[in-house]
Amino acid sequence: MCTELLRALPDYWLATVTTLLAFFTLWLVIESKDAARKQLGVNTWLHFIERWDSPQMRGERKKLAQAILREESNYDSDPVLDLLEQISTAYLDNCLGKKLTYSSFSHDAEHWLFILKGRIHNLRTSMSDESVYEDLENMVLAIRKGHPKDPPVTGPGAHEYLDGEATL
């Protein structure tokens, strides 16, 4: 009986070590996947930061803010809204970190959405498509829900924001 126990012991230890290695490998796979997802989110965030702060986009934002402040009726809001919509889509698809997006884009997204609300409504009506810039709205709503103590954008706050954008 002792001999059988001694013969079985190495197989038991081998099975135990193999099982532990399998669990450790599974844990490493899960950790690697999470780390890769986080890194992709940071890289995506950096890409959007670079685009938002690029000379071309700053020029678009400045031109748009100046046109709105001059109360022009014919202005191009597409470059600004399209980039914010792309950021919002990435945010809603969990390709951007919530904290990174909040700290970098929530202020701008909320202000531009408030300022261009009528323009977005007209686009939806003319295109018969209620989903136009829907991700932008949904991202702003999600961020507001996550940060209820942040004051909402008001008319005077929006005008002040436009003043700042007009001087970029």
Side-chain angles (χ1 to χ4, degrees):
M1 181 150 159
C2 244
T3 309
E4 290 175 5
L5 183 62
L6 288 175
R7 285 186 188 153
L9 191 59
D11 290 339
Y12 169 78
W13 285 110
L14 181 61
T16 301
V17 168
T18 302
T19 302
L20 288 173
L21 283 173
F23 281 121
F24 181 69
T25 302
L26 179 62
W27 176 77
L28 281 176
V29 167
I30 292 169
E31 287 296 313
S32 295
K33 181 181 172 187
D34 287 345
R37 184 178 41 78
K38 286 179 184 176
Q39 185 61 49
L40 179 62
V42 169
N43 288 345
T44 304
W45 172 75
L46 288 171
H47 169 76
F48 282 131
I49 285 286
E50 186 176 301
R51 285 182 59 199
W52 184 253
D53 289 334
S54 72
Q56 179 184 359
M57 184 53 65
R58 291 172 69 88
E60 293 290 343
R61 290 163 42 204
K62 179 179 182 175
K63 184 171 58 173
L64 178 57
Q66 289 172 343
I68 293 169
L69 288 170
R70 287 191 302 261
E71 298 181 8
E72 294 176 11
S73 59
N74 191 17
Y75 54 83
D76 184 13
S77 60
D78 289 351
V80 173
L81 284 174
D82 288 350
L83 180 54
L84 287 171
E85 180 75 355
Q86 292 167 14
I87 292 166
S88 301
T89 300
Y91 174 87
L92 295 170
D93 285 343
N94 293 317
C95 295
L96 283 173
K98 305 292 186 218
K99 289 179 183 178
L100 293 174
T101 304
Y102 173 74
S103 69
S104 302
F105 299 113
S106 65
H107 180 76
D108 295 306
E110 190 168 0
H111 279 82
W112 281 117
L113 181 62
F114 181 87
I115 292 162
L116 297 170
K117 186 175 14 180
R119 177 83 161 185
I120 292 169
H121 174 74
N122 292 342
L123 285 169
R124 288 176 176 170
T125 302
S126 69
M127 297 171 76
S128 299
D129 184 357
E130 288 299 311
S131 70
V132 174
Y133 300 118
E134 181 179 54
D135 284 350
L136 174 56
E137 276 186 336
N138 289 335
M139 180 185 79
V140 169
L141 288 173
I143 288 172
R144 297 258 349 118
K145 186 177 180 183
H147 298 87
K149 293 183 180 181
D150 288 356
V153 177
T154 62
H159 193 277
E160 184 179 322
Y161 176 81
L162 281 174
D163 286 339
E165 291 287 282
T167 61
L168 289 176

